[in-house]
Amino acid sequence: MTVTTPAQTTHTPSGETVDAVVIGGGAAGLNGALMLARSRRRVVVVDGGTPRNAPAEAVHGLLGLDGTAPAQLYERGREEVRRYGGVVVAGEVATAEPAASSADGDLRFTVTLAGGRTLSARRLLVATGLRDVLPDLPGLAPHWGHDLVHCPYCHGWEVRDEPIGILAVGPASAHHALLFRQLTDDLVYFARGTELDEDTRARFAVRRIRIVDTPVAEVVTSDDGGIAGVRLVDGRVVSRRVLAVATTMRARTEGVDGLKLPMEDLPDGRGRRFAAGPSGATDVPGVWVAGNATDLTAQVGAAAAAGALAGAHINAALATADTDAALVAAGSRTVPA
């Protein structure tokens, strides 16, 4: 079947209300916009250009696209959205707030960009992603996304058989260690003051995971810019080439505070996210969330799928609203004598 697509749109609509504004141009936001654009909805994506996985060299675990650089993946996504008439705007959202409903009672939102331009939308998809908060440890942050990793499924194969160190941050780190033990025989667990009960120590012992209880002072960088090891407070250096840490994950809320979306904390201080139902619908009528903003552990494939689901539900809600508006219009018409 031949598909005729509209010409690429490069400018935001002016003085009109679009069907949906998507806040965030990562996998979730772009896939949500793709579903909406393919349903002939007028959709605008506001893309800040700072996806969570920007420091990574490649996306992994994504069927058919394993090994694709994040920048390349998102550029493909933007082009696909534009192919169906969607608009992608490079910029930041300064504010997003509910506005007065239309004359027929349909919802309205006002989205203001950092440059001062405003967009009017019937529905919103918040796909702002998250920020990873690293432990405050000297020498650690520069290695993020390279020799410092967090996800065994995203980066594990690439660091297999290397001397790996787990920097403990809480109870979840013990299981983190077991996952990385699958990838290397040389694993050191730096407890960093966290508690390890006897059962966990026994489990580590049978898996030959070495435990270092001495506090960590800093991460040592090698001459080639990689990780050389971990310096302890007593001066000893434990040689490591890779470090893994379970970050604290916090949904990005900048620009959307005015929506007053409900949020919730994950157990054990693992993070904070937007609360939403299975389709991404929030308690705020007309607003959906998708991707890492609400599912903090979602990989790219899962985030994209969530965006697609949210986009489909937004289109369904708009279809109902369109029909309701048509009924109102039909009822207000005068019948000729």
Side-chain angles (χ1 to χ4, degrees):
M1 181 173 81
T2 301
V3 177
T4 303
T5 58
Q8 177 172 313
T9 308
T10 57
H11 302 290
T12 57
S14 176
E16 61 184 282
T17 298
V18 298
D19 290 313
V21 167
V22 178
I23 303 173
L30 288 172
N31 219 15
L34 182 62
M35 294 292 281
L36 286 160
R38 281 179 50 83
S39 297
R40 306 188 77 174
R41 295 295 180 184
R42 293 181 61 78
V43 58
V44 177
V45 180
V46 182
D47 180 10
T50 56
R52 178 191 187 192
N53 59 359
E57 295 179 359
V59 172
H60 293 291
L62 184 60
L63 187 64
L65 293 171
D66 187 83
T68 304
Q72 182 182 4
L73 178 67
Y74 298 135
E75 180 56 33
R76 287 182 189 174
R78 289 189 289 268
E79 288 304 314
E80 289 172 355
V81 170
R82 291 176 174 133
R83 186 187 308 160
Y84 294 99
V87 177
V88 182
V89 178
E92 299 285 347
V93 169
T95 60
E97 298 174 320
S101 298
S102 66
D104 57 23
D106 193 24
L107 298 168
R108 291 292 186 269
F109 298 90
T110 299
V111 177
T112 304
L113 307 186
R117 280 192 296 179
T118 61
L119 300 169
S120 175
R122 301 172 66 194
R123 303 293 185 271
L124 296 181
L125 173 56
V126 175
T128 49
L130 63 80
R131 284 194 172 84
D132 292 285
V133 181
L134 297 171
D136 186 13
L137 185 62
L140 184 66
H143 300 286
W144 176 241
H146 301 285
D147 302 321
L148 173 62
V149 300
H150 72 291
C151 174
Y153 305 107
C154 303
H155 319 288
W157 177 264
E158 285 64 42
V159 300
R160 68 194 186 282
D161 297 327
E162 292 282 3
I164 299 176
I166 302 291
L167 297 174
V169 295
S173 295
H175 185 65
H176 208 213
L178 297 179
L179 296 177
F180 274 94
R181 176 61 181 83
Q182 178 67 21
L183 301 164
T184 183
D185 292 331
D186 187 356
L187 188 67
V188 174
Y189 187 88
F190 297 95
R192 300 184 64 244
T194 60
E195 295 293 331
L196 281 177
D197 58 31
E198 290 306 313
D199 178 68
T200 301
R201 289 178 180 272
R203 294 168 71 83
F204 278 12
V206 297
R207 294 303 308 274
R208 299 193 311 259
I209 299 172
R210 177 185 166 198
I211 300 171
V212 174
D213 288 307
T214 305
V216 172
E218 64 176 343
V219 174
V220 181
T221 300
S222 62
D223 293 338
D224 63 5
I227 292 174
V230 172
R231 191 185 310 278
L232 308 179
V233 294
D234 61 11
R236 290 181 295 150
V237 173
V238 181
S239 177
R240 297 289 91 185
R241 291 295 296 168
V242 174
L243 293 175
V245 61
T247 61
T248 299
M249 301 169 288
R250 298 189 177 278
R252 294 180 175 183
T253 62
E254 298 87 351
V256 298
D257 291 334
L259 297 173
K260 296 181 171 54
L261 297 175
M263 302 193 73
E264 59 188 6
D265 293 318
L266 268 64
D268 301 321
R270 288 182 290 136
R272 184 168 174 80
R273 67 180 182 183
F274 290 114
S279 69
T282 72
D283 288 345
V284 178
V287 182
W288 278 254
V289 295
N292 283 147
T294 184
D295 184 354
L296 301 180
T297 61
Q299 293 178 262
V300 173
L309 181 61
H313 278 258
I314 292 171
N315 181 59
L318 289 168
T320 298
D322 292 340
T323 305
D324 292 343
L327 282 172
V328 171
S332 66
R333 294 175 189 153
T334 57
V335 179

